[in-house]
Amino acid sequence: MSPIYFSFSSAFILGLMGLAFNRSHLLSALLCLEGMMLSLFIALALWSMTLNSTSCSITPMILLTFSACEAGAGLALLVAATRTHGSDRLQNLNLLQC
């Protein structure tokens, strides 16, 4: 495994571990998700560049578009949760209460 692929794999695993173990705030969970998506984007872009194929060159841009939509929806949920519950702590958010 080359050092470049190892660094992107470790960045994805680090984001996944941060998402699994650090569940105190919604903002930190969204940042971990964003880091995972960006590491996937860079790895997919490098993979399509090494293939030298034009059919796979649009795939990283589609992933980046979905990542931007995910970030926008996550920030909207963060603002809505902060307005209704007063904080972004995940322990205060109960899905059974409306």
Side-chain angles (χ1 to χ4, degrees):
M1 180 179 255
S2 70
I4 294 174
Y5 293 121
F6 178 73
S7 63
F8 293 130
S9 299
S10 62
F12 182 79
I13 296 295
L14 206 75
L16 189 63
M17 286 175 46
L19 184 63
F21 294 132
N22 191 10
R23 292 185 175 183
S24 58
H25 294 281
L26 183 60
L27 185 60
S28 64
L30 289 175
L31 283 174
C32 289
L33 280 174
E34 192 66 29
M36 288 169 56
M37 289 297 287
L38 287 176
S39 68
L40 281 177
F41 166 72
I42 293 172
L44 197 60
L46 280 177
W47 179 67
S48 66
M49 284 176 55
T50 57
L51 284 179
N52 291 330
S53 173
T54 58
S55 64
C56 294
S57 63
I58 194 69
T59 309
M61 295 308 291
I62 292 172
L63 183 71
L64 192 62
T65 304
F66 283 134
S67 176
C69 293
E70 175 255 334
L75 286 176
L77 286 173
L78 177 70
V79 168
T82 304
R83 284 185 181 172
T84 58
H85 296 288
S87 153
D88 71 331
R89 293 189 56 85
L90 291 177
Q91 285 83 11
N92 295 342
L93 300 177
N94 190 359
L95 294 177
L96 298 177
Q97 292 176 341
C98 289

